Amino acid sequence: MGAKKSVRREDIVAAAEKILTERGEGAVCARSIAREIGCSTQPIYDAFSGMEEVRRELIARAADTYSRVTAEIAAEGKYPAYKCMGMAYVRFGRLYPNMFRMLFMDNAETVGGTVGENMVEEAAKRISASTGMSYEQARKFHYTMWISIHGMGVFAATGYLKLTEDEVSDILTEIYRGLLHVNGIDA
């Protein structure tokens, strides 16, 4: 009988992340992870209560990657804070399409939830403070912007439309200015 291979939780999550990145969320299962690591499926079930726990770890990893992309865009100093959010979303879709799909397309209801609502509230407060709009106007403004941003993120993640970062920036500026105008604010 051969020696039992020791597999760490970190190894399992790293393998699952590699599979997610290369082949998508649907390819992540105990067998594919075991194949990637070179073990049986038993160590996965020894380390985790089930695949749902592995999935939660993947969602956390994808969210961390998204946060890193957002921080990188902010550190570049090219865009105002509100625009950084949109630019990061689209860049994340382009660079990490399978993570984008997992977070913002396929599981949006379960992943978004309170986090999404908190983001909307924070964005509405910032827009209201910087433009003088009421909170409700700013909230509607943000939703309208976010519909456009999400569309560009989906285009980036699916490869449907390949916009350059400059094109994304120009489009976001035009939408932003147009929405300011609609709300009676000079851009």
Side-chain angles (χ1 to χ4, degrees):
M1 181 187 273
K4 186 175 179 182
K5 182 173 182 174
S6 176
V7 179
R8 300 174 309 145
R9 284 176 62 95
E10 176 60 30
D11 298 332
I12 295 165
V13 176
E17 182 178 14
K18 181 177 185 215
I19 295 163
L20 168 68
T21 302
E22 293 175 356
R23 294 182 276 163
E25 186 178 8
V28 178
C29 65
R31 286 185 180 173
S32 64
I33 294 169
R35 250 189 319 274
E36 183 68 33
I37 296 171
C39 67
S40 72
T41 59
Q42 190 58 48
I44 297 164
Y45 293 107
D46 288 344
F48 291 93
S49 61
M51 285 305 297
E52 183 57 33
E53 188 179 1
V54 174
R55 183 177 167 278
R56 284 193 302 270
E57 291 286 332
L58 279 179
I59 288 170
R61 286 263 183 120
D64 288 346
T65 301
Y66 176 57
S67 293
R68 190 185 77 243
V69 170
T70 301
E72 288 168 0
I73 289 218
E76 291 169 8
K78 289 173 56 176
Y79 310 109
Y82 184 68
K83 191 173 193 177
C84 280
M85 291 169 48
M87 296 301 295
Y89 194 80
V90 177
R91 184 184 287 179
F92 179 70
R94 182 173 41 78
L95 296 177
Y96 303 97
N98 289 324
M99 286 184 178
F100 182 93
R101 284 183 181 104
M102 184 176 71
L103 288 180
F104 302 120
M105 293 171 65
D106 299 339
N107 301 295
E109 287 179 17
T110 56
V111 174
T114 306
V115 173
E117 276 305 308
N118 290 343
M119 187 177 71
V120 169
E121 185 176 328
E122 186 60 35
K125 286 178 184 176
R126 286 183 185 177
I127 293 164
S128 180
S130 68
T131 65
M133 286 182 203
S134 71
Y135 175 80
E136 283 308 313
Q137 280 179 297
R139 189 175 169 88
K140 183 178 176 186
F141 182 101
H142 177 67
Y143 278 134
T144 305
M145 285 294 302
W146 205 251
I147 289 167
S148 300
I149 292 164
H150 180 68
M152 286 188 282
V154 169
F155 286 153
T158 61
Y160 181 77
L161 188 63
K162 295 182 187 326
L163 297 170
T164 67
E165 198 157 286
D166 287 340
E167 289 171 322
V168 170
S169 177
D170 291 346
I171 292 167
L172 289 180
T173 297
E174 289 174 17
I175 295 168
Y176 185 84
R177 287 182 179 159
L179 287 172
L180 287 177
H181 179 73
V182 165
N183 283 282
I185 299 169
D186 292 326

